[in-house]
Amino acid sequence: SCRRAARTATPRRASASARGCCSRTSGWRSGSSDWRRARYHTHTRPYAFVNLEASLTQALAPDGGAVGEPAYQEEGQVTFVAHDQLGSHGVRNVGEQTFVQFVVEFK
């Protein structure tokens, strides 16, 4: 069975026991009160994320510039990103709240 990863103060890969069923997933808990930004990156596999706390985030372009308007991340919201929806992006926490997500990538 899958287990929850321990809460940590910095973005890090979940422990082997939290990575999921039969090596088909990888998990990360991202964010903390001082976590402000995820560099621009490309997703190559379907993934899901759960917002562990409410926050306000801004999508970022490759040069670090803002893309669109800031988005409210509702606590408890679960989002699945299918293979045909994958893309590249960065994100910055632009609110006063902590930005914390648990991300599961499906292999």
Side-chain angles (χ1 to χ4, degrees):
S1 67
C2 299
R3 298 179 187 157
R4 285 179 40 187
R7 292 185 75 141
T8 60
T10 56
R12 65 185 343 191
R13 189 172 183 137
S15 66
S17 64
R19 271 189 281 203
C21 307
C22 307
S23 299
R24 289 181 289 202
T25 63
S26 294
W28 294 267
R29 181 189 181 276
S30 298
S32 73
S33 59
D34 62 348
W35 188 85
R36 301 303 292 175
R37 171 185 179 129
R39 284 187 235 128
Y40 192 83
H41 58 281
T42 300
H43 292 276
T44 59
R45 297 180 175 141
Y47 65 100
F49 60 89
V50 179
N51 296 326
L52 300 179
E53 298 189 30
S55 59
L56 186 66
T57 61
Q58 175 66 60
L60 301 175
D63 66 0
V67 175
E69 296 296 318
Y72 179 72
Q73 305 294 325
E74 185 176 336
E75 181 178 355
Q77 177 182 350
V78 178
T79 302
F80 174 73
V81 182
H83 196 271
D84 63 345
Q85 299 171 321
L86 297 176
S88 301
H89 68 109
V91 65
R92 178 175 45 233
N93 182 10
V94 295
E96 295 299 317
Q97 314 91 319
T98 301
F99 172 56
V100 184
Q101 291 182 326
F102 186 76
V103 181
V104 177
E105 180 183 79
F106 301 95
K107 294 182 179 180

